[in-house]
Amino acid sequence: MTTPAATAPLRRNDLGWYLYGVAAADETSVPLGARLAAGAAQKVELVAEGSLVGVASRVSLQEFDEPTLPERLRDATWLEEKIRAHEQVLERVLEDASVVPCRFCTVYRSEVELRRFLSERRETLQAALDRVRGKVEVGVKAFIDSDRFTAGRAKQNDDIRQLETQISTAEGGRAYMERRRLEQLVASELERFRGEAADRIHTHLLAAAEDGLALPLQTPELSGRDEKMVFNGAYLVTADRGAFEDALASLARDIRDDGVDLELTGPWPAYNFVPVELSAE
Amino acid sequence: MSMSEQQTLKHQVTLLELVDRVLNRGVVVSGDITLSVADVDLVYVGLRVLLSSVATLEESRERISATGAGP
């Protein structure tokens, strides 16, 4: 039997606090606390500090400490498990209360440090919380089916229609050349339309939301769909989502004939609508 | 695409959707331990490994079903 001499013995203070997010004390009920404590593999605790509540778990600092963290981050299985756990905890809080989500792997070495953060940043946290109170984030992605676009919407373009008529009567080499020209024309019309569709979608949905923003488009590799993404947006909407979903449904009907399909994700904690950096107070 | 392939794909997409939010957004607070920009890059490297291994698995499944071999 070998002794792991290189491993430092566990110290008493080897537990830290992983902070998932911050909620308001007046929204986080005792039953929520009990459900959080019982539900997950990782016990979740509500650390109350004045009007704020930190949603946190005790974690092993051996697992999360700086020297070992980079190595952990290369472990895809560990990573996926922790990322999903982070989200699951916040989603359970979101069922009952508004929450300001924290970035992945925010860890305090002690409860004192966690409480100090909550009290020192109380004003900025409270302002962030007020902004998302009673609201959730939803994601909307739009994809264009180029076949449906070509068969439908593209024909609204006079040049495309005219060229199609010419092709129907042309023969041999000329018909081939003109078909190539038509393909190019349809492709450039599609490019133009993508911008127009993105503007239209964002304007329409923004009118039914508290706030919204356009996110970078995803490549087919990331989106998991063959169709080209024309729009990727995030919206802050009231938790019941009624008005927003009505607006989305009517837009989806209108834009479908142009070859555009909409995809809704969420509700998410309002990741995109909280300050990225908390300003010092 | 089979049901299991669709599920795998959906699973991957959701994970990326999650990564975009959990790692790129949310409040950066002054924890004692927080991820630096370099750490976040590392996370993406880790996930690419994860996702490409899923893709490789799918590919080999497709090859098996195409040749009619396998269990």
Side-chain angles (χ1 to χ4, degrees):
Chain A
M1 204 169 87
T2 55
T3 313
T7 317
L10 265 174
R11 294 186 307 270
R12 201 169 56 84
N13 61 353
D14 262 350
L15 286 179
W17 288 83
Y18 183 113
L19 182 63
Y20 303 96
V22 177
D26 63 356
E27 281 192 325
T28 43
S29 58
V30 173
L32 171 68
R35 273 208 310 286
L36 287 173
Q42 193 80 41
K43 191 180 165 201
V44 180
E45 295 177 50
L46 298 176
V47 180
E49 186 66 37
S51 61
L52 299 173
V53 166
V55 180
S57 281
R58 278 174 222 258
V59 291
S60 155
L61 281 179
Q62 290 203 325
E63 191 173 13
F64 282 93
D65 212 350
E66 274 145 330
T68 51
L69 195 57
E71 198 183 313
R72 293 276 179 196
L73 296 178
R74 285 196 193 89
D75 179 348
T77 313
W78 183 88
L79 207 50
E80 181 175 358
E81 187 190 308
K82 298 299 173 194
I83 290 172
R84 288 192 188 280
H86 184 104
E87 172 65 12
Q88 273 161 16
V89 168
L90 289 177
E91 280 182 9
R92 276 161 57 217
V93 176
L94 201 62
E95 286 170 17
D96 278 36
S98 313
V99 64
V100 170
C102 289
R103 187 82 44 108
F104 183 63
C105 275
T106 300
V107 179
Y108 289 87
R109 288 208 168 82
S110 71
E111 188 178 331
V112 173
E113 291 302 317
L114 170 59
R115 287 185 181 279
R116 181 179 299 157
F117 161 71
L118 291 174
S119 65
E120 278 179 0
R121 298 302 177 92
R122 189 181 57 80
E123 274 177 41
T124 6
L125 285 169
Q126 190 63 57
L129 209 43
D130 288 346
R131 187 172 181 225
V132 301
R133 187 175 276 247
K135 300 180 193 91
V136 293
E137 178 178 324
V138 289
V140 175
K141 290 184 283 188
F143 298 90
I144 191 154
D145 181 323
S146 59
D147 290 345
R148 264 163 53 213
F149 177 81
T150 308
R153 172 77 196 204
K155 296 193 197 307
Q156 286 183 21
N157 180 302
D158 292 341
D159 295 343
I160 290 176
R161 269 207 320 276
Q162 213 174 355
L163 195 54
E164 280 183 333
T165 318
Q166 283 171 26
I167 290 171
S168 65
T169 58
E171 285 173 1
R174 209 179 124 239
Y176 171 79
M177 292 303 286
E178 291 194 340
R179 267 198 300 274
R180 289 293 305 276
R181 230 184 94 212
L182 179 66
E183 278 171 22
Q184 285 164 6
L185 212 55
V186 170
S188 74
E189 177 64 6
L190 178 64
E191 275 312 301
R192 191 198 60 76
F193 178 73
R194 284 175 68 190
E196 181 190 313
D199 287 346
R200 183 176 159 198
I201 293 165
H202 194 45
T203 308
H204 187 88
L205 294 179
L206 205 50
E210 296 285 331
D211 201 355
L213 52 98
L215 302 172
L217 297 180
Q218 295 170 345
T219 60
E221 191 186 35
L222 287 184
S223 72
R225 291 178 64 140
D226 295 334
E227 302 98 319
K228 254 191 179 161
M229 186 181 268
V230 291
F231 180 70
N232 185 18
Y235 296 90
L236 185 67
V237 305
T238 50
D240 70 30
R241 304 197 296 287
F244 186 81
E245 283 182 5
D246 288 348
L248 186 75
S250 83
L251 177 67
R253 272 193 306 273
D254 290 350
I255 212 163
R256 204 185 179 288
D257 290 339
D258 295 338
V260 178
D261 294 313
L262 300 178
E263 199 181 287
L264 179 71
T265 64
W268 301 93
Y271 289 106
N272 283 293
F273 301 95
V274 294
V276 169
E277 305 248 9
L278 289 185
S279 58
E281 279 170 18
Chain B
M1 202 185 282
S2 75
M3 275 297 270
S4 78
E5 278 168 343
Q6 272 179 12
Q7 272 164 4
T8 311
L9 196 62
K10 194 160 186 291
H11 179 82
Q12 270 176 268
V13 171
T14 327
L15 180 61
L16 276 157
E17 213 42 32
L18 260 177
V19 169
D20 273 350
R21 289 184 160 83
V22 178
L23 285 145
N24 277 346
R25 308 283 164 170
V27 188
V28 178
V29 302
S30 53
D32 295 337
I33 302 162
T34 48
L35 290 187
S36 65
V37 174
D39 289 336
V40 172
D41 287 345
L42 260 177
V43 171
Y44 278 107
V45 171
L47 282 165
R48 268 202 297 276
V49 171
L50 176 74
L51 294 169
S52 64
S53 63
V54 173
T56 314
L57 191 68
E58 288 305 316
E59 248 171 55
S60 62
R61 268 197 209 134
E62 272 163 31
R63 267 204 311 278
I64 288 168
S65 59
T67 55

